[in-house]
Amino acid sequence: MTAPGDATERLSEVPVPELPVPEAPVPEVLLVEDDDGDALLVEELLLDSGVTVRLSRARSLADAKAVLVDVPEPHCVLLDLHLPDGQGVDVVQQMLGLAPRAAVVVLTGLAEEDAGLAAVTAGAQDYLVKGLFEPALLGRAIRYAIQRRQIEQATAALQASQLRAQENRRLERGLLPSPLLRSRAVDVVARYEPGREQALLGGDFYDVVATADGTVHAVIGDVSGHGPDEAALGVCLRVAWRSFTLAGASGPEVLRLMQELLVAERTRPEIFATVTTVELAPARGTARVIRAGHPPLFLRDADRGAVELLDPDTGPALGLLPEELAVWPVRERPLPSAGALVLFTDGLFEGRCGPRGERLGELGLLELARDLAGLPGAEFVPALIHRTRSLSEEHGGHSDDIAVVHLEWKPSA
């Protein structure tokens, strides 16, 4: 038996490979100083400091602007407060405008310590008094200034990220509400997934409400573009649709009112929205569908275990035509005794698939839906999204948002 001490000794003989340590990048330093004597002194102090930097020189703010065209944005700027085209704190602000990510160390005269403090308040990381600093102090000031600037930028980025996340949550609550139903005659499964590259929600929205006569009204829409303005506009349209519907409006009248709101609230005249509305009445065995430039929908027939594509006539997307020219046809569809309507936005079928990266399209999505026809709604919706995402993964995945609404009724309805 090997003694514990022997095992320890044997383990200590196993060679441990040395991992390469990445070299830190050489800091880029820009010296903005019009006095040749002071500039030469700074260069000599840098040489004696032992800190390796790549030094560039400018004699004025205008000269610095020209230098920055040819060299990368510096990590640090050594800045004199008295230049031919700028004086005092204003020089710091102008320099930060030219190199917003750079750390700034101000060089002041012996009687200008107050000016140095004012420069730090204006955005500089540190100040040094000419003639009173040694090589080691200069090198340390540059290193610390760069580190402080990087920390400031990381902190600002984190705060911005947290604000975006909070804004996302607020917008998501507005875009993706809870259905407002009076009974369980219709079961609703809804899901939203953002595109892979979206820092903010897009303009996809949906809603489901029931009116006193038992009709279940549903809407799904997509505002063109991505970002906070489009998401906020989607929230406005979704809330307006719910308000108009609960107030008794229906059919094309609702789309006309939504278009008026979109035109009034959009930030650019080219923004539009595609919309589908459904008035589902299982007790009467009918559904009224109105489309405004939106993709078709699926009908799941539980009696036959089939899925078919419903592609009724469509009118223009909201915001594309003036009110007097916009016409949205209403199509009424008989329903099977049990089944579901599936509404979705174009992000669900816009992904690329296959060896040549062809677009999945509505018909390709229909084939996937038919493969999943035996699943209940709570499993059908996530499975359909998962299938489309899996197919497009090798081509970069989905870049657009996805919204799906599944409205299911049973024979007892």
Side-chain angles (χ1 to χ4, degrees):
M1 177 178 286
T2 303
D6 295 338
T8 303
E9 184 176 352
R10 187 174 296 122
L11 287 173
S12 66
E13 295 173 357
V14 176
V16 178
E18 294 185 3
L19 297 177
V21 178
E23 295 184 1
V26 176
E28 299 277 352
V29 177
L30 174 62
L31 172 61
V32 185
E33 171 64 73
D34 63 324
D35 187 283
D36 290 338
D38 287 342
L40 179 61
L41 177 60
V42 170
E43 292 176 15
E44 292 176 347
L45 290 171
L46 277 173
L47 289 174
D48 294 339
S49 70
V51 177
T52 302
V53 302
R54 278 193 286 266
L55 185 66
S56 303
R57 163 92 186 278
R59 290 176 167 80
S60 65
L61 289 170
D63 193 13
K65 184 176 182 179
V67 170
L68 290 172
V69 173
D70 300 322
V71 301
E73 183 172 349
H75 297 90
C76 181
V77 176
L78 300 176
L79 180 64
D80 182 26
L81 288 183
H82 298 284
L83 298 173
D85 50 0
Q87 300 288 320
V89 173
D90 181 61
V91 174
V92 178
Q93 295 171 339
Q94 291 190 58
M95 192 67 241
L96 288 173
L98 295 175
R101 299 181 61 85
V104 175
V105 177
V106 166
L107 305 178
T108 70
L110 182 60
E112 295 180 313
E113 188 163 353
D114 289 343
L117 292 172
V120 171
T121 303
Q125 275 60 55
D126 203 350
Y127 73 94
L128 296 172
V129 179
K130 293 180 182 180
L132 295 183
F133 58 87
E134 298 177 350
L137 179 59
L138 177 59
R140 188 163 60 247
I142 292 174
R143 290 197 303 271
Y144 288 0
I146 293 174
Q147 291 173 1
R148 282 195 292 271
R149 185 59 174 157
Q150 290 173 344
I151 291 172
E152 289 174 4
Q153 291 169 349
T155 301
L158 177 61
Q159 291 174 344
S161 177
Q162 291 172 340
L163 289 174
R164 283 196 299 269
Q166 293 171 2
E167 185 67 14
N168 272 358
R169 288 192 292 270
R170 286 194 294 269
L171 290 172
E172 185 174 1
R173 286 194 295 270
L175 287 167
L176 318 175
S178 299
L180 183 60
L181 301 176
R182 297 169 181 265
S183 71
R184 294 302 302 269
V186 174
D187 289 330
V188 179
V189 177
R191 187 158 177 173
Y192 168 86
E193 291 194 6
R196 71 182 190 280
E197 297 175 349
Q198 302 309 320
L200 283 171
L201 294 172
D204 290 16
F205 62 93
Y206 63 78
D207 202 354
V208 182
V209 300
T211 49
D213 62 356
T215 302
V216 174
H217 301 257
V219 66
I220 192 165
D222 184 0
V223 178
S224 61
H226 294 91
D229 291 340
E230 289 75 12
L233 183 55
V235 173
C236 288
L237 292 175
R238 200 278 304 167
V239 173
W241 175 87
R242 175 175 283 205
S243 301
F244 297 148
T245 301
L246 292 177
S250 64
E253 176 67 10
V254 174
L255 294 182
R256 185 187 65 78
L257 293 170
M258 291 175 69
Q259 172 159 287
E260 286 186 9
L261 179 66
L262 181 144
V263 171
E265 296 292 334
R266 62 187 176 186
T267 55
R268 302 186 307 278
E270 65 271 18
I271 291 179
F272 63 91
T274 65
V275 174
T276 289
T277 65
V278 172
E279 298 172 17
L280 181 62
R284 297 193 298 272
T286 61
R288 297 176 70 202
V289 180
I290 308 176
R291 295 168 60 205
H294 201 76
L297 60 159
F298 292 156
L299 170 63
R300 299 184 66 192
D301 188 333
D303 298 334
R304 298 185 295 113
V307 181
E308 61 179 289
L309 183 72
L310 300 186
D311 193 8
D313 296 340
T314 180
L318 304 186
L320 288 185
L321 294 180
E323 178 184 339
E324 61 273 13
L325 298 179
V327 177
W328 296 287
V330 181
R331 294 294 178 262
E332 188 162 311
R333 168 81 190 199
L335 300 176
S337 62
L341 290 175
V342 186
L343 290 68
F344 45 85
T345 54
D346 59 4
L348 190 61
F349 58 82
E350 287 290 349
R352 300 288 170 176
C353 62
R356 292 180 295 178
E358 58 269 19
R359 177 175 171 270
L360 177 62
E362 295 96 327
L363 295 181
L365 182 64
L366 178 61
E367 292 302 316
L368 296 180
R370 285 172 171 167
D371 291 341
L372 303 171
L375 296 178
E379 298 177 21
F380 175 87
V381 171
L384 185 61
I385 295 175
H386 176 73
R387 286 280 188 94
T388 63
R389 284 198 179 280
S390 298
L391 286 174
S392 63
E393 197 63 39
E394 63 181 83
H395 300 285
H398 284 287
S399 60
D400 200 1
D401 305 325
I402 294 173
V404 181
V405 179
H406 185 278
L407 308 169
E408 185 175 6
W409 63 94
K410 302 293 196 305
S412 59

